[in-house]
Amino acid sequence: MVTGLSALTRLTQLCIKFERFETIRVRGPPPVTRVLLPILIEFEFFGVHEYLEVLLARIDAPQLKFITTRFFGNHVDIQHQQVMSHLLRLTHGPFERTDVRFSLNDVDIQLYRPNGSLPVKMMTVGFVDSEEALGQQILTVTQLALSLLSNITELEIGSQGNLDELDDVELVNLIDNPGWLVLFHTFTALRTLRLRNEIQPLVLFSLQGHTEVLPGLQDLYLCEWHWQGEPLQALEQFIAARQHSDHPVTVHHVPEYYDGDWEE
């Protein structure tokens, strides 16, 4: 298939979808020479990670902007695969700011250049028929952060609005997911953190009692919607502990669903 793509030098969109769960047998390392797709802008893949790993290792797309990948089932262990490293190679950093949006089955990641007002890369990673999709998403973003985003100074995290479908047990499991702390330990250069809607209390609970994470954090932006109850107590404990350290944090609150410039 990749050999056939080599002739499509004017290709701008590439979509590959499998209709059912199917694994493949990988036969040895891929060829060193990659196929150049010079004006490919959008790539979408729907299937198993083994096939995507082989495919991504053999293509190069310097103009790629939109990347969508959706994997089947619970068997995907992103941290132990080469898929993310190949995706990161196609993104062509460095980046200064990252916006992340979680949903029950997908995570959307927007990457910004230094001083850029518009995202230069937009990536969606999703999981189909997965009972632990959101936990896998957190690990996926962690892998991205470890490989590419450790030097960003601004991070915004929100949700797509359907996390309220989680029951109490699922919510507790999500709050206790160690992936949150692994994620935040990655961003040693982060100065500004913005939290939106349903994701806000989850992050505040994960930071509670862990003042060593995000050592460079200076400004924390929160929506007023969740400034009450246990999330507020978790926030107060985190801020109080940081105030007694060498890394104090200033909290800013903005109106619910505010979509303007958070620094204004």
Side-chain angles (χ1 to χ4, degrees), residues 197-218:
N197 46 49
E198 290 95 341
I199 214 72
Q200 192 167 239
L202 305 182
V203 173
L204 295 179
F205 282 130
S206 70
L207 291 177
Q208 188 175 13
H210 297 280
T211 56
E212 77 285 356
V213 300
L214 304 176
L217 184 65
Q218 300 174 5

Side-chain angles (χ1 to χ4, degrees), residues 43-57:
F43 173 73
E44 182 175 359
F45 176 85
F46 191 108
V48 295
H49 62 85
E50 294 97 336
Y51 189 88
L52 181 61
E53 179 181 342
V54 173
L55 177 63
L56 293 179

